[in-house]
Amino acid sequence: MSRPTLGNIEQILQALEQEGYIADREIATAIYLSIELHKPLLVEGAAGVGKTEIAKVMSQALGTDLIRLQCYEGLDVSTALYEWNYPKQMLRIRLEEGTDRTVEEKEQTIFSEAFLLRRPLLQAITHHRAPVLLVDEIDRADVEFESFLLEVLSDWQVTIPEIGTIRARHIPYVVLTSNRTRELSDALRRRCLYLWIDYPSFEKELRIVLRKVPGISQQLAEQIAAFMHLVRRLDLQKVPGVAETLDWSLALLRLHRDHLDRTSVEETIGCLFKHHEDQRLVRGPWLDAALAAIHEAQRDGEGLARALNRIERTLKA
C-alpha cells in the first residue's frame, strides 16, 4: 500500500517550518524514517516541548487527517476501538416488531456496520486514506491497553465477533507520545522508532517565539528566550515548557511590554509557573540578578547566546 511522503530530510524541515513548527535535523530525520520504514514514532520528553505538535504538523504537511486517541487510566478497548450504537439498535428492534423476519435475520441487521460507532483506532484502520494516528500520552493508559495496542500496531487489523476481521485499507502514520509517568514495555519500544525532545536551546526558542508571536520585538524575544533558558536551571516543581513560553510572550505583548523587568515578570508570573513554591522561588533575589545579567549582556552587545553560560555560572555562585 503506497502512502504519500514528505520527501527527504531537508524537504521535511522545510515542510515543518511552513506549518509553523521549528524543528532540528534530529526531529526531521526521525519523521523521515518513520514514514519511509512504516514504523510508529514514539516521542518522549517533558510536557510542553512540542511532542503532540509533531503529529499535528505531519498531518497538515501530508494533507491528511489527524485522528487522536487521548490515553488515560482506565481507557478500555471499546472506547478506543468501537462500540455498538445501543439507542439506534433499540429503535430498530422496535421497528422490526411484528415483522415476519427471523431472529437471526434481525440480529444480523442490528449487529452490522450501520450500527457500529467507530472510535479512533477503528477510524484510523478504515480511513479512506492513510491518516496520522496520534496516540497521545500512552504512558497514562494501563499496561493491559498497551498490550492490546501492540496487536493493532503489528497486524493492522481487528476482529469484531459479530462482523469478522477488518483489515487496514491504508496503514496510518503513527505517532505515540509519552511524558514518562510510567515505564513503557520493551515490546512497545521495539516496535517503534524513538525520539527524545528536550527543552529547546536559546536559539531555537528565540526562533519559535519570533515565528509564533507576530509583532514581538527582537529585543523582547531575546530576553524571553534567555530568561526561559536560565529559569529552567532552577529547582522547580514544574519546569515551564514551550507552550508556557508562548503564553507568556503573548501576555507581555497584550500588556504592551517591550522589555522584561521585575514588575512585568511578577504581573505575568502565572503564565509560566503553576505552583506557588515555584513562583516564590523565582520572585526572590534570583529574579533581579537574572534580569540584570540579561540586560547587561544585551546592552554590551555580547550576544545572549554566548553570554548564557557565563550568566548561569554567575547566578549559581
Side-chain angles (χ1 to χ4, degrees):
M1 286 177 275
S2 63
R3 304 189 303 176
T5 70
L6 291 174
N8 58 33
I9 295 171
E10 295 300 329
Q11 290 169 322
I12 289 176
L13 277 169
Q14 293 173 12
L16 295 180
E17 181 136 2
Q18 285 174 359
E19 299 299 334
Y21 190 88
I22 308 299
D24 50 35
R25 192 172 181 83
E26 184 179 0
I27 293 176
T29 303
I31 293 173
Y32 171 77
L33 292 175
S34 173
I35 293 174
E36 294 294 323
L37 301 178
H38 291 203
K39 299 272 281 186
L41 179 61
L42 172 60
V43 188
E44 287 195 325
V49 294
K51 303 186 296 296
T52 301
E53 280 297 306
I54 286 182
K56 293 179 180 176
V57 296
M58 275 180 66
S59 69
Q60 292 163 357
L62 287 162
T64 191
D65 295 318
L66 173 70
I67 297 175
R68 180 174 185 167
L69 174 61
Q70 179 64 51
C71 297
Y72 52 86
E73 187 177 353
L75 175 65
D76 57 17
V77 173
S78 63
T79 307
L81 188 59
Y82 75 92
E83 290 179 281
W84 290 108
N85 189 335
Y86 293 119
K88 191 175 178 181
Q89 286 177 318
M90 291 300 298
L91 179 62
R92 184 56 180 262
I93 289 171
R94 291 196 184 97
L95 292 174
E96 293 277 355
E97 287 176 356
T99 66
D100 56 359
R101 300 182 72 189
T102 65
V103 173
E104 290 74 18
E105 288 174 333
K106 292 177 181 177
E107 284 182 351
Q108 283 183 350
T109 300
I110 64 172
F111 288 108
S112 62
E113 291 199 31
F115 295 86
L116 199 61
L117 294 175
R118 298 166 191 262
R119 299 311 185 195
L121 291 180
L122 189 57
Q123 288 175 19
I125 288 175
T126 58
H127 207 268
H128 64 279
R129 59 181 173 182
V132 174
L133 172 62
L134 168 62
V135 183
D136 210 10
E137 299 184 331
I138 180 62
D139 53 316
R140 295 190 183 280
D142 300 320
V143 174
E144 292 75 15
F145 180 80
E146 185 182 316
S147 300
F148 162 74
L149 187 63
L150 277 176
E151 294 179 24
V152 178
L153 296 182
S154 298
D155 302 331
W156 290 115
Q157 65 179 33
V158 295
T159 299
I160 299 175
E162 298 86 351
I163 294 178
T165 299
I166 298 177
R167 294 180 175 80
R169 297 171 61 186
H170 306 279
I171 296 177
Y173 311 86
V174 182
V175 177
L176 302 97
T177 72
S178 168
N179 292 327
R180 305 188 77 180
T181 58
R182 72 168 174 84
E183 190 60 35
L184 302 177
S185 69
D186 289 340
L188 179 66
R189 291 181 181 278
R190 277 199 305 272
R191 284 167 172 77
C192 301
L193 301 181
Y194 182 75
L195 173 66
W196 170 264
I197 300 183
D198 211 340
Y199 292 110
S201 64
F202 167 80
E203 293 85 352
K204 185 177 177 181
E205 194 149 27
L206 175 60
R207 289 180 63 200
I208 293 172
V209 172
L210 290 172
R211 177 63 186 264
K212 295 280 192 178
V213 187
I216 197 167
S217 68
Q218 179 78 22
Q219 172 185 271
L220 179 57
E222 287 182 1
Q223 291 175 2
I224 289 171
F227 184 90
M228 297 306 296
H229 176 90
L230 295 172
V231 84
R232 290 186 183 123
R233 272 60 182 172
L234 296 177
D235 185 18
L236 300 170
Q237 303 231 359
K238 175 69 176 65
V239 178
V242 177
E244 283 78 17
T245 303
L246 295 175
D247 286 345
W248 190 38
S249 303
L250 289 167
L252 290 167
L253 206 58
R254 184 61 63 91
L255 294 172
H256 307 292
R257 303 301 167 86
D258 59 3
H259 69 282
L260 291 185
D261 54 27
R262 173 172 277 277
T263 301
S264 61
V265 174
E266 288 186 330
E267 288 181 350
T268 56
I269 200 166
C271 297
L272 291 178
F273 308 103
K274 312 303 168 71
H275 290 271
H276 175 62
E277 293 78 5
D278 291 345
Q279 293 189 357
R280 190 168 56 187
L281 176 62
V282 172
R283 288 178 193 270
W286 178 90
L287 179 57
D288 293 319
L291 291 175
I294 290 171
H295 289 301
E296 182 182 359
Q298 238 179 1
R299 187 173 56 248
D300 295 345
E302 181 181 2
L304 280 171
R306 291 193 300 275
L308 281 175
N309 287 337
R310 176 184 58 76
I311 295 174
E312 193 177 333
R313 288 194 300 272
T314 302
L315 292 174
K316 283 182 178 177

